[in-house]
Amino acid sequence: DTEVTQTPKHLVMGMTNKKSLKCEQHMGHRAMYWYKQKAKKPPELMFVYSYEKLSINESVPSRFSPECPNSSLLNLHLHALQPEDSALYLCASSQDPGSSYNEQFFGPGTRLTVL
Amino acid sequence: GIQVEQSPPDLILQEGANSTLRCNFSDSVNNLQWFHQNPWGQLINLFYIPSGTKQNGRLSATTVATERYSLLYISSSQTTDSGVYFCAAVNSGGSNYKLTFGKGTLLTVNP
């Protein structure tokens, strides 16, 4: 099963709201990723967790706060977002970043609108 | 970091036609993936192909790592093939996590 799930599918929030995006995989993968994709652009890496530890933060503003409660789950906590943060947020996972095989599999995404 | 360039940026085909999409990358890679993004935003894995040739039905891909390019072939195209095709690579000299995407090729297949 090569499935990554994400909830919710759509989210509308105001600039003062706090919300969370959730991602889950049951493939036994040890690396999980958050990407942001604006319309008509490629996905851009935000965060990487490897073995449940934050490995990469691509200089993302602190209003985005990632969390990896266990090896299957990845959350992205959102607070005081701006309208320009509206985008498709994609979660991905890969088997073992230390190995030579590191194919990434993506979830269906959460389409976020900030009003 | 590694640069990934895709061509053409846009491609319009009649159903049944064949096409070739190209991906050039600026440095050696240990991961190269082709994706199809459907209209709902889902990125679907087509190929994991850091080198060599693979085939899956009407699609095939070839990566010539020494010359730093990869090609995606679509034969007998169908309207459901429409969408954006992304090539993405991991630089073998950099972080093993960081997948860098090209800007994509927007494919439209008309009936």
Side-chain angles (χ1 to χ4, degrees):
Chain A
D1 182 15
T2 55
E3 188 178 11
V4 178
T5 59
Q6 291 186 242
T7 55
K9 286 187 168 52
H10 300 274
L11 179 62
V12 180
M13 59 186 291
M15 290 190 286
T16 59
N17 292 156
K18 286 185 182 181
K19 297 286 185 184
S20 297
L21 309 184
K22 296 188 185 302
C23 174
E24 190 167 6
Q25 57 86 15
H26 293 290
M27 296 179 277
H29 288 177
R30 302 315 303 268
M32 296 186 76
Y33 310 74
W34 281 114
Y35 288 82
K36 174 181 177 179
Q37 187 178 21
K38 301 283 278 184
K40 299 188 186 300
K41 298 287 187 183
E44 293 180 342
L45 183 66
M46 300 174 71
F47 301 104
V48 180
Y49 275 82
S50 177
Y51 295 91
E52 299 154 51
K53 290 185 172 20
L54 183 64
S55 294
I56 294 179
N57 176 343
E58 289 285 288
S59 302
V60 179
S62 60
R63 57 186 184 269
F64 295 92
S65 176
E67 178 196 19
C68 189
N70 61 56
S71 60
S72 300
L73 292 173
L74 186 65
N75 298 322
L76 186 62
H77 303 297
L78 314 173
H79 173 55
L81 293 194
Q82 304 296 309
E84 59 264 29
D85 296 321
S86 298
L88 180 68
Y89 288 84
L90 293 162
C91 174
S93 69
S94 66
Q95 184 174 324
D96 180 354
S99 77
S100 59
Y101 170 70
N102 199 26
E103 183 176 6
Q104 291 190 25
F105 296 88
F106 284 77
T110 293
R111 201 164 291 278
L112 174 67
T113 302
V114 182
L115 300 176
Chain B
I2 190 170
Q3 307 297 314
V4 179
E5 294 183 357
Q6 293 185 243
S7 60
D10 299 277
L11 186 57
I12 299 175
L13 301 174
Q14 286 299 120
E15 202 166 24
N18 302 330
S19 61
T20 301
L21 281 57
R22 187 175 179 101
C23 172
N24 292 332
F25 41 94
S26 62
D27 208 337
S28 58
V29 299
N30 57 18
N31 175 358
L32 189 129
Q33 294 185 242
W34 283 98
F35 298 93
H36 175 212
Q37 188 163 42
N38 65 23
W40 297 271
Q42 172 84 58
L43 275 170
I44 299 163
N45 288 41
L46 298 177
F47 294 102
Y48 172 83
I49 188 164
S51 64
T53 297
K54 291 186 177 179
Q55 179 153 8
N56 185 2
R58 295 181 296 104
L59 273 59
S60 64
T62 294
T63 297
V64 183
T66 51
E67 297 187 22
R68 299 185 183 166
Y69 72 88
S70 184
L71 302 173
L72 177 69
Y73 306 96
I74 304 174
S75 64
S76 304
S77 57
Q78 301 175 357
T79 55
T80 51
D81 294 332
S82 295
V84 181
Y85 288 79
F86 286 108
C87 168
V90 173
N91 186 348
S92 58
S95 165
N96 206 30
Y97 307 102
K98 190 163 183 178
L99 198 58
T100 300
F101 284 77
K103 292 184 177 179
T105 291
L106 175 59
L107 175 65
T108 303
V109 181
N110 292 322

